[in-house]
């Protein structure tokens, strides 16, 4: 018996329970293997005649079609086998690769193992073939060892069309090509190009592909030039590369021609504004190669109803001629459209630029209002002062802010400082003063005013009397009447007879003042108390 594991070497089968027995074929030999309880795995060679055994490492393998797979192997002699052996590649479930060789082709196995190598390469595909060892002994002992090889590859088709023309500062028409996979290829292929003139670039869409044998990938190529790209004819090499494989290439002929043209450019291709508000795209038209015809600019299908180009017709120049496109919408919506330019030249050169405009819902405005202190107590004739804070919830006030108050008692007025808040202001504080009126006493009329009436009558009568004695009598009578009037009015010229009722002032009580603030179409109110104590 030979111990297979955990250590290797000859010996006696341990005197322990055997848990499993099974016959194995390995490298052309047949063994009986026994699994013991705690003493490892042992095997017995069921073939006791001279024989040989094959062992090959690094199997299976995957290579590109241009590469060569190398298998390393050993051939062992058993039971004293000493004849030479012919090694060769033979078909298995498939044929052998187109190139398959064993070195050395004739070998004599040893108990320790004799080394050999097998090399194989071929067209893309999957190969399941055998390594055959045919002995030269009288029994012609022959064994085979199964091998597997995956040959993969990818291809790049010729471009269509094979040549393309483009003017300086323009982009070529699309060129198409296809990347295909052969065999079990599952990698990525990166595309690039070389041989471009100065100021020129190529763009692949997509630039990295992952084809399979069942799903080739189509690729679109465009070549862009700058105004400074030199004219001429160039051979452009389109390359496709994948890690581990050879780069595949195709040739494209590029012609850079001097054709009068112009460049349409939009500086701000995406704009946003609120409903009924305008947004303006800024564009330029730049002449290329002496282009000198008028170009009509317009908004294409999909633009908002209000889309105005100014000016609508331009003759491009070398330094660029500016224009604007004003857009607005009465509804909230996203618009994606082109700004088109149509040349008046014989070739009707036309270009377009995609732009986007989003009309947001109408912006709602509001503000907050607070008043302090909530209550003020004063005597009539004094002034109550309040402070109100007005603040827009977003941004600034879109218009002037005005103030008013109501609910004030009689003989009281409200004043605001400042009288209004200007448009564009932010958070603002306004002082409100309530001016009350003090009471005033009733008015007194001098007794002299009352006395003036009888005096006037006396003077008129006295003047009408020619007799001096009668005049003297009237004078005595007048003195008596004046004395009587003076005593009835409280004494002489210090009378206090009433002419009016006077003013009671602002009435005592508690009043709710309503302070109202208006900003555009939004109005808010705050209430404070005014207490008149006396």
């Amino acid at each position: 018996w030979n111990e297979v594991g955990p250590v290797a070497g000859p010996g006696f089968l341990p005197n322990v329970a055997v848990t499993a027995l099974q016959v194995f074929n390995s490298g052309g030999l047949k063994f009986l293997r026994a699994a013991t309880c705690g003493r490892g795995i042992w095997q017995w060679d069921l073939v006791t005649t001279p024989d040989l055994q094959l062992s090959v490492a690094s199997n299976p393998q995957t290579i590109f079609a241009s590469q060569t797979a190398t298998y390393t192997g050993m051939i062992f002699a058993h039971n004293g086998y000493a004849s030479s052996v012919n090694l060769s590649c033979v078909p298995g479930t498939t044929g052998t690769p187109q190139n398959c060789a064993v070195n050395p082709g004739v070998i004599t196995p040893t108990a320790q193992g004799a080394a050999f190598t097998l090399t194989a390469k071929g067209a893309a595909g999957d190969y399941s073939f055998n390594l055959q060892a045919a002995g030269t002994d009288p029994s012609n002992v022959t064994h085979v060892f199964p091998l597997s090889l995956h040959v993969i590859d990818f291809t790049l088709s010729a471009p269509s069309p094979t040549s393309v023309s483009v003017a300086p500062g323009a982009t070529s028409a699309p060129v198409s090509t296809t990347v295909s996979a052969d065999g079990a290829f599952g990698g990525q292929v990166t595309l690039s190009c070389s041989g471009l003139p100065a100021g020129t670039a190529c763009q692949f869409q997509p630039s990295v592909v992952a084809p399979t044998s069942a799903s080739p990938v189509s690729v679109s190529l465009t070549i862009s030039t700058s105004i400074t790209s030199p004219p001429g004819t160039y051979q452009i090499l389109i390359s496709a590369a994948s890690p581990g494989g050879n780069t595949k290439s195709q040739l494209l002929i590029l012609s850079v021609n001097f054709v009068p043209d112009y460049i349409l450019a939009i500086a701000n291709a995406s704009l946003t504004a609120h409903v009924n508000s305008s947004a303006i795209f800024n564009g330029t038209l730049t002449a290329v190669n002496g282009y000198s015809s008028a170009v009509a600019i317009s908004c294409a299908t999909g633009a908002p109803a209000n889309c105005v180009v100014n000016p609508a017709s331009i003759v491009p120049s070398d330094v660029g001629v500016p224009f604007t496109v004003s857009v607005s919408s009465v509804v909230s919506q996203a618009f994606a459209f082109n700004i088109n330019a149509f040349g008046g030249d014989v070739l009707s050169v036309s270009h377009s630029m995609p732009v986007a405009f989003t009309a947001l819902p109408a912006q709602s405005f509001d503000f907050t209002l607070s008043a302090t202190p909530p209550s003020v107590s004063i005597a009539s004739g004094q002034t109550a002062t309040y402070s109100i804070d007005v603040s827009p919830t977003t941004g600034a006030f879109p218009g002037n802010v005005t103030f008013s108050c109501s609910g004030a008692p009689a003989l009281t007025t409200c004043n605001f400082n400042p009288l209004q808040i200007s448009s564009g202001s932010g958070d603002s504080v306004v002082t409100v003063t309530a001016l009350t009126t003090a009471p005033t006493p009733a008015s007194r009329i001098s007794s002299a005013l009352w006395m003036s009436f009888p005096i006037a009558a006396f003077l008129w009568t006295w003047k009408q009397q020619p007799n001096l004695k009668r005049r003297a009598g009237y004078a005595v009578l007048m003195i008596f009447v004046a004395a009587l009037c003076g005593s009835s009015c409280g004494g002489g010229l210090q009378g206090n007879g009433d002419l009016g009722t006077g003013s009671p002032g602002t009435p005592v009580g508690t009043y709710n003042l309503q302070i109202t603030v208006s900003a555009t179409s939004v109005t808010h109110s705050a209430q404070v108390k005014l207490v008149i104590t006396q």
Side-chain angles (χ1 to χ4, degrees):
W1 290 83
N2 284 297
E3 186 175 4
V4 180
V7 296
F12 293 97
L13 186 65
N15 186 19
V16 295
V18 174
T19 59
L21 285 172
Q22 190 168 345
V23 175
F24 284 85
N25 289 310
S26 177
L29 299 180
K30 184 176 292 186
F31 299 99
L32 173 64
R33 288 182 177 173
T36 64
C37 182
R39 293 294 300 275
I41 299 175
W42 297 74
Q43 71 179 17
W44 180 267
D45 191 350
L46 297 179
V47 179
T48 58
T49 58
D51 205 347
L52 57 91
Q53 180 184 9
L54 289 170
S55 175
V56 179
S58 59
N59 179 49
Q61 291 193 39
T62 299
I63 61 171
F64 278 92
S66 59
Q67 299 172 342
T68 299
T70 300
Y71 299 85
T72 58
M74 300 285 286
I75 184 168
F76 298 91
H78 289 280
N79 301 322
Y81 190 93
S83 300
S84 61
V85 177
N86 294 314
L87 300 177
S88 62
C89 300
V90 296
T93 57
T94 70
T96 63
Q98 286 83 350
N99 297 288
C100 188
V102 184
N103 184 32
V106 179
I107 191 170
T108 300
T110 64
Q112 294 76 25
F116 64 89
T117 59
L118 182 150
T119 57
K121 64 181 298 185
D126 296 326
Y127 299 90
S128 295
F129 62 104
N130 293 324
L131 166 64
Q132 177 177 277
T136 59
D137 58 280
S139 300
N140 292 323
V141 174
T142 301
H143 294 292
V144 295
F145 194 96
L147 298 175
S148 180
L149 176 63
H150 303 290
V151 181
I152 61 174
D153 206 357
F154 65 93
T155 59
L156 177 67
S157 69
S160 177
T162 57
S163 63
V164 65
S165 297
V166 62
T171 300
S172 71
V175 176
S176 62
T177 184
T178 301
V179 181
S180 303
D182 294 325
F185 181 85
Q188 291 187 329
V189 179
T190 301
L191 295 140
S192 62
C193 57
S194 58
L196 295 167
T200 306
C202 59
Q203 297 87 29
F204 291 94
Q205 184 60 39
S207 60
V208 178
V209 297
T212 65
S213 58
S215 300
V217 179
S218 296
V219 178
S220 177
L221 164 65
T222 56
I223 297 179
S224 300
T225 60
S226 67
I227 297 178
T228 59
S229 295
T233 301
Y234 304 91
Q235 292 185 344
I236 308 302
L237 196 64
I238 304 172
S239 300
S242 183
N246 289 340
T247 299
K248 309 299 171 64
S249 301
Q250 293 288 350
L251 194 63
L252 174 69
I253 303 301
L254 170 66
S255 297
V256 180
N257 302 321
F258 272 129
V259 177
D261 201 350
Y262 60 90
I263 299 173
L264 169 64
I266 304 295
N268 49 340
S270 180
L271 294 176
T272 300
H274 290 283
V275 166
N276 295 322
S277 296
S278 296
I280 297 177
F281 294 101
N282 297 305
T284 56
L285 283 182
T286 304
V288 178
N289 299 328
Y291 190 93
S292 59
S293 300
V295 177
I297 307 172
S298 61
C299 301
T301 303
N306 184 16
C307 188
V308 179
V309 182
N310 184 32
S313 180
I314 298 175
V315 176
S317 71
D318 293 341
V319 296
V321 178
F323 66 90
T324 62
V325 180
S326 176
V327 292
S328 64
S329 175
V330 297
V331 296
S332 177
Q333 183 179 337
F335 300 88
F337 60 99
N338 287 338
I339 295 176
N340 292 336
F342 298 94
D345 56 284
V346 293
L347 297 178
S348 298
V349 175
S350 62
H351 296 288
S352 64
M353 282 293 293
V355 294
F357 169 65
T358 302
L360 301 176
Q363 185 178 19
S364 59
F365 169 76
D366 203 356
F367 65 93
T368 59
L369 168 64
S370 62
T372 56
S375 178
V376 175
S377 298
I378 58 172
S380 58
Q382 296 179 340
T383 300
T385 302
Y386 305 88
S387 179
I388 61 173
D389 186 290
V390 287
S391 177
T393 54
T394 57
F397 287 105
N400 292 338
V401 182
T402 59
F403 309 91
S404 63
C405 78
S406 60
L411 301 177
T412 302
T413 58
C414 290
N415 292 328
F416 298 90
N417 184 26
L419 294 177
Q420 68 177 18
I421 298 173
S422 300
S423 173
S425 300
D427 187 9
S428 302
V429 176
V430 177
T431 300
V432 184
T433 54
L435 305 177
T436 63
T437 303
T440 57
S443 300
R444 301 290 183 178
I445 185 170
S446 173
S447 58
L449 180 62
W450 294 101
M451 292 176 63
S452 63
F453 294 102
I455 292 173
F458 164 75
L459 291 175
W460 183 83
T461 304
W462 182 77
K463 186 177 180 181
Q464 299 299 321
Q465 297 298 324
N467 191 305
L468 294 176
K469 289 184 178 181
R470 286 187 177 181
R471 287 186 177 183
Y474 276 112
V476 173
L477 179 62
M478 186 62 226
I479 292 171
F480 173 77
V481 171
L484 181 62
C485 289
S487 63
S488 66
C489 292
L493 297 178
Q494 296 181 1
N496 58 354
D498 288 343
L499 179 62
T501 59
S503 172
T506 300
V508 173
T510 299
Y511 304 91
N512 291 322
L513 298 184
Q514 192 82 5
I515 300 173
T516 301
V517 182
S518 298
T520 61
S521 60
V522 181
T523 300
H524 291 301
S525 297
Q527 185 172 280
V528 294
K529 288 186 180 299
L530 174 63
V531 180
I532 306 300
T533 58
Q534 61 180 9

